[in-house]
Amino acid sequence: MALGLLLILFMVMSSISVVGLLLLFLLKGEKAQKIVFYFMALLGMFIAWMTATSYATNQIKEQMISWGFGALAVVAVLVRLCGKSKNAALAAKLLAAASVVLGMVALFIG
């Protein structure tokens, strides 16, 4: 029963991640892009938290890697807030996307 619920949760998170990544790079409006960006950054942090807390307490290396994926989302938000150019916005999007993708891969493998 519990494994079925975890499978459903993983499938929902995967679907949200794919749709969010597509919207992150395909939307044209600045306000919509900003909303999707912050949602994806929060999703990356949430996935990192879920992945890191799913490991046993003696698997420190795996936990630190997972927290590193969450740190990518934090760096993406900082780049978005501090950088004012188009290149900074693109770098922030790429960092947020990397955080989500790497977090989902770590969640799938772990």
Side-chain angles (χ1 to χ4, degrees):
M1 175 78 181
L3 289 178
L5 293 175
L6 287 175
L7 177 65
I8 291 170
L9 176 66
F10 182 76
M11 295 306 290
V12 168
M13 287 175 49
S14 298
S15 301
I16 291 172
S17 297
V18 168
V19 170
L21 288 171
L22 288 174
L23 289 175
L24 184 63
F25 291 105
L26 296 179
L27 284 177
K28 298 293 182 194
E30 181 66 32
K31 185 172 179 155
Q33 280 184 355
K34 192 179 283 190
I35 291 169
V36 172
F37 168 76
Y38 286 118
F39 174 76
M40 293 304 290
L42 286 174
L43 182 64
M45 291 178 215
F46 176 71
I47 292 171
W49 171 75
M50 284 189 62
T51 306
T53 57
S54 71
Y55 288 116
T57 56
N58 62 348
Q59 293 178 317
I60 301 298
K61 181 179 73 170
E62 290 85 357
Q63 288 179 354
M64 296 307 291
I65 291 170
S66 298
W67 287 121
F69 295 153
L72 285 176
V74 174
V75 170
V77 170
L78 291 175
V79 168
R80 178 74 180 215
L81 292 175
C82 296
K84 300 300 180 195
S85 68
K86 291 279 187 184
N87 290 337
L90 179 62
K93 285 182 190 179
L94 290 174
L95 285 170
S99 174
V100 170
V101 170
L102 292 172
M104 287 301 293
V105 168
L107 191 61
F108 179 73
I109 292 173

